[in-house]
Amino acid sequence: MEKMKLKLLYTDLKSDIDIIEKELENALNSSSHLINDASLHLLQAGGKRIRPVFVLISAKFGNYDIDNIKNIAVPLELIHMASLVHDDVIDDSDLRRGRRTVKAQWNNRVAMYTGDFIFARALEYVTAIENKRVHQILAKTMVEICNGEVIQIEDKFRVDQNLKDYFRRIKRKTALLIESSCELGAVASGLDEKNIRHLRRYGYFVGMSYQIVDDILDFTASDKELGKPAGSDLLHGNITLPIFYLKDHPIIKQFIEKASTGKVVEEDRLAMLKVVRNSEAIKQSIALSNQYLRKALKEVEALPNHQMKKKLRDIALFIGKRKF
Amino acid sequence: MNATYIQQAIEEFKNNISLHVRHRTLARYTGLPVSDESQLFYLLLPFLNGEQWDGQLEESAITVGIVHASLNEHDKIDEKNATSKEQQLTVLAGDFYSGRYYEILARLGNIPLIRQLSEGIAIRCEHQIKIYESTHYTLEEWYQSISVKHTELIKRFYQVYQFEHYTTFMHTNLLLLQLQKELQQLQNGKPSNLFMKMGESVSNDEKLLELKVLEEINSLRRLLNEYLQSSTFLKDELKLYIQQQLV
């Protein structure tokens, strides 16, 4: 339902998104039937394709040419897909979006090779673009995403971390790739520096809000909506925004302690969820997400008049209100 | 130039690879990047043989070493259980090295090598994943997969810099060395997953597999000696070094 609502937001981009979808299929085509099966498994799981959409919309502000822009939009989605395949190995996740993960369906090694294959295809694809700056932005993003994941592992179950640590983490985990999607779309379509900056900052703010909402939903959405047990983030030791407001709550403290030793039972999870859901932490987190969205909307205002401005606003508002 | 000089060049090259992917946390949990010295030798072979070589080419060669190190990290991941912090960071070490090779080549603006290496990585993954497929492959097909794993990226590097005349040596020698290593593991009762899968090609007859692989090794050895004897462009010291490595 949510995905449909999002898709309605960019119906006028549908023909180009269909091209991207087709290109994703082509890019994942392999001589190995196992890689084909794993890739098809991933493609069928769908996804919001939010990164390619940001590339397309940003490019619309410049000299838009889908044959050129697809060479940015497709690799960005592939990089996102590949990192999810590897993340599932790291998090030992058996389910994603309600479907079995590659590592659960086959094994960790198959997931590693599939992820590496997709990463490689992403880079192969982007070499159709000769602009050195494009590659530098994308490469820096890939390295920083990894750094973010390393930090995330280091920060697991660390209760003495502060909000700055959290923001640093979600910036690299999510905001950077959305920021780069907007920036790269703008750069590849030859937009001027001032507007590239506005779009990049828009992407960053939206990305931060997107991850905060994701972190809220991990507590507030149902297991069915999430396609995995609610509260999984904290169960895996990831201290997300709502928990910063509840770190001193005895039930939360106890839950983190138990989770760090792998002793959580279903009753503990439900008790933890009840505390978070009934607390002010959710409202406070939403307020922070909205602050980022306001900043994003300010960047949109600074852009030249274009019908895509409305789209950027609508997507930002959708992100703030999405239910899962 | 003697064996010591060559060995020192390889060691320095290995250190340079490590320096280019230095990361405090990853180093603490996953150690230094894993490099195969025979592969490093072949990356340096054009330089050692006196081909035109500059800083940019050296850095490009380093990125090939980084890609190998990246994929080697992912080969360390346990099929069933990667939940330890060390394993989790090993996944990320591979991804980080992969990002770093791209970052270096992007800075150099070396798009052709990015293209060649990414094509090579994709092909390598397709071959490595074969051991998890139910398809029946012949021994020759398995030899090809071993060869792709160990030579494809170096072959791509040679292509970009017109060093293709070294491909035959590299290809024959690296396959030979790898088969020797695998055979030794088999004889020590610790065959790799790949060799266990290869066993299916000879109805899981371990003795027959050993015999067939030995035949292949001898054939490759003869071939390599022929190439070395007939080569007019490779320095004698390098020919000697290659022969010494076989012993």
Side-chain angles (χ1 to χ4, degrees), chain A residues 27 71-72 74-76 78-79 82 115-129 134-140 142, chain B residues 67 95 97-106 110-122:
Chain A
N71 295 316
I72 304 274
V74 170
L76 277 162
L78 291 175
I79 289 169
D116 286 339
F117 173 84
I118 299 173
F119 266 131
R121 276 287 153 90
L123 296 196
E124 192 181 330
Y125 209 95
V126 79
T127 56
I129 292 191
V134 164
H135 293 281
Q136 286 185 295
I137 295 168
L138 191 57
K140 190 168 180 244
M142 283 173 67
Chain B
V67 177
D95 291 348
Y97 297 168
S98 172
R100 280 293 293 144
Y101 105 78
Y102 181 36
E103 199 174 30
I104 295 164
L105 290 179
N110 195 343
I111 318 291
L113 189 56
I114 298 171
R115 188 178 303 127
Q116 285 297 329
L117 290 180
S118 46
E119 279 176 19
I121 296 167

Side-chain angles (χ1 to χ4, degrees), chain A residues 29-35 83 86-87 89-92 103 106-114 116-117 119-121 123-132 134-136 138-140 142-143 146-147 149-150 153-154 156, chain B residues 23-26 28-29 70-71 74-83 85 88-89 91-92 95-96 98-103 106-109 111 114-115 118-119 121-123 125-126 128-129 131-135 137 193:
Chain A
N29 190 31
S30 164
S31 66
S32 153
H33 69 78
L34 185 45
I35 289 184
S83 62
H86 285 180
D87 283 354
V89 174
I90 293 169
D91 298 335
D92 196 24
K103 79 120 210 156
W106 290 276
N107 65 44
N108 287 335
R109 281 285 187 87
V110 170
M112 295 320 299
Y113 298 140
T114 303
D116 286 339
F117 173 84
F119 266 131
R121 276 287 153 90
L123 296 196
E124 192 181 330
Y125 209 95
V126 79
T127 56
I129 292 191
E130 297 279 343
N131 183 339
K132 187 174 163 180
V134 164
H135 293 281
Q136 286 185 295
L138 191 57
K140 190 168 180 244
M142 283 173 67
V143 169
C146 265
N147 278 328
E149 297 213 46
V150 172
I153 289 177
E154 280 191 300
K156 271 189 180 180
Chain B
H23 190 293
R24 198 167 45 87
T25 309
L26 293 177
R28 195 186 331 142
Y29 288 94
S70 157
L71 299 168
H74 288 171
D75 282 341
K76 291 184 199 168
I77 300 302
D78 189 272
E79 282 174 20
K80 291 195 168 64
N81 187 352
T83 51
K85 193 169 180 177
Q88 291 174 327
L89 288 168
V91 173
L92 292 176
D95 291 348
F96 175 74
S98 172
R100 280 293 293 144
Y101 105 78
Y102 181 36
E103 199 174 30
R107 177 173 46 77
L108 297 173
I111 318 291
I114 298 171
R115 188 178 303 127
S118 46
E119 279 176 19
I121 296 167
I123 291 172
C125 290
E126 287 173 334
Q128 283 200 269
I129 213 165
I131 64 167
Y132 301 104
E133 291 175 355
S134 50
T135 317
Y137 291 105
N193 285 350

